Amino acid sequence: MVRRFTRVIRTAEVIGAVLAVAILAILFLPRFTSGGNAASPAIEEPDLNVAVVPAADSAGFFVALHEGLFAAHGLHVTFIPAVSSETVINGQALDQPTDRIDISCGNYVSYIQAQEAYNRGTRPSSASGAMVAADLDIFAEGSVMEPGAQGLYVMPNSRVRTLADLEGRITGVNAPGNILYLLAASALAAHGLNVSGAHFAYYPLPEMAAMLKSGKIAAAVLPEPFASQAELSLGVTRLADLDEGATAAFPVQGCAVTRQWAAVHPATLAAFRAAFEQGQQIADTSRAAVQQAMEALPAPFGLTKVQAAVMAVDSYPVGPVDVTRLQRVADVMHQFLGFPTFSVRQMTGG
């Protein structure tokens, strides 16, 4: 449950009519920022639908939600579990009256793919299987990978002991060409394996452990907390930590809006970003706050205390988007996915 905080202001006892008038005059003066500017304009849209991946990459958002930080900034945020990048980005770009998504926090790879498609002249479409395209503003960084946060996993009795053993076998990943696919491709290439010859099958993350157990896939790319859940329930073992080589300390996730939405809702976006950054700062410094927020997620995403205690976490940046760091994503996409040369500066205002 979102905790609410009420600020209690105690005033001195009013003595005399003149003093009372003076105090009231002070109380009703316009508020100013430290720079002398007038108070922030009214929030254009206080009720927000925010699509976020229910993973440790999103801990800053979940901390802000759990601790009432969005509410403290005048926002009512509805958390929508991100089912797929296509669904989420189209929900933003199409600006539908129903199933509307105002803000999303997801993987950079999908955002860059959507922007590149938009740059080529592709426009958003609700047609199934259509290319996702959107003119996006990545306004905040979400997570930077730490050891153990993303990995390749196999069953404890698997014959797959090394990455080379994956040749001719199927690896499960949650979507084609996304961040987890990119991390897996980078790891394979770093060990001298032919990425183009790798076999991938695509399943939602909550189903991945079952696919491993059934033998439908030989290995699975799992982020936290899905990895820890599979370790505790099935005893899966980590074949490779994806925080290495070209993807060591890799930027994984950020938050984005369409440029059209940002232009219409500048005060709303500023309020969301302020609350989000508070959540990021707490998540980056308080493991306990992250665990509590992840345990409080609605079913079926909430973690047990044990799962929350053992999962690896990322680092959670604050401040302006680091364009140099984010450019690594586009460069690795070019290297391992054959993606066109792309500058992320156009998506960050940097």
Side-chain angles (χ1 to χ4, degrees), residues 148-336:
Q150 326 269 345
L152 263 167
Y153 290 83
V154 297
M155 291 297 291
N157 59 350
S158 174
R159 295 181 179 178
V160 176
R161 301 297 183 187
T162 68
L163 288 175
D165 295 334
L166 286 175
E167 185 175 357
R169 293 184 168 92
I170 298 174
T171 298
V173 68
N174 66 323
N178 72 346
I179 184 68
L180 296 182
Y181 178 93
L182 179 66
L183 293 173
S186 174
L188 293 172
H191 287 79
L193 304 176
N194 189 348
V195 177
S196 62
H199 302 294
F200 290 93
Y202 308 104
Y203 300 98
L205 286 171
E207 299 176 14
M208 202 70 74
M211 296 301 103
L212 264 179
K213 183 178 179 180
S214 69
K216 291 185 177 180
I217 56 177
V221 185
L222 295 174
E224 289 289 22
F226 299 97
S228 289
Q229 289 173 319
E231 285 178 311
L232 291 169
S233 62
L234 299 176
V236 300
T237 59
R238 190 165 63 207
L239 183 67
D241 187 344
L242 300 180
D243 180 51
E244 63 175 21
T247 56
F250 203 62
V252 173
Q253 178 174 289
C255 295
V257 293
T258 65
R259 293 190 186 280
Q260 180 181 11
W261 192 94
V264 176
H265 305 89
T268 306
L269 182 57
F272 181 92
R273 182 173 183 174
F276 177 78
E277 292 234 325
Q278 286 179 296
Q280 289 284 97
Q281 187 171 27
I282 295 170
D284 207 44
T285 56
S286 174
R287 169 77 191 219
V290 172
Q291 291 178 205
Q292 292 166 10
M294 298 298 287
E295 290 169 25
L297 291 181
F301 306 107
L303 304 184
T304 67
K305 288 188 178 298
V306 173
Q307 291 169 344
V310 300
M311 72 174 181
V313 297
D314 299 287
S315 61
Y316 304 99
V318 296
V321 173
D322 186 327
V323 177
T324 300
R325 177 161 53 206
L326 189 52
Q327 184 62 41
R328 290 183 60 200
V329 181
D331 293 344
V332 174
M333 290 171 68
H334 178 70
Q335 182 179 359
F336 296 112

Side-chain angles (χ1 to χ4, degrees), residues 49-53 58 61 80 82 84-85 87-92 101-107 111 136-140 253-258 272 276:
N49 293 336
V50 182
V52 178
V53 179
S58 311
F61 169 83
I80 299 175
S84 72
S85 297
T87 301
V88 169
I89 296 174
N90 270 342
Q92 291 181 267
I101 295 175
D102 300 295
I103 298 172
S104 68
C105 297
N107 80 89
Y111 287 147
L136 297 171
D137 175 11
I138 298 175
F139 64 88
Q253 178 174 289
C255 295
V257 293
T258 65
F272 181 92
F276 177 78

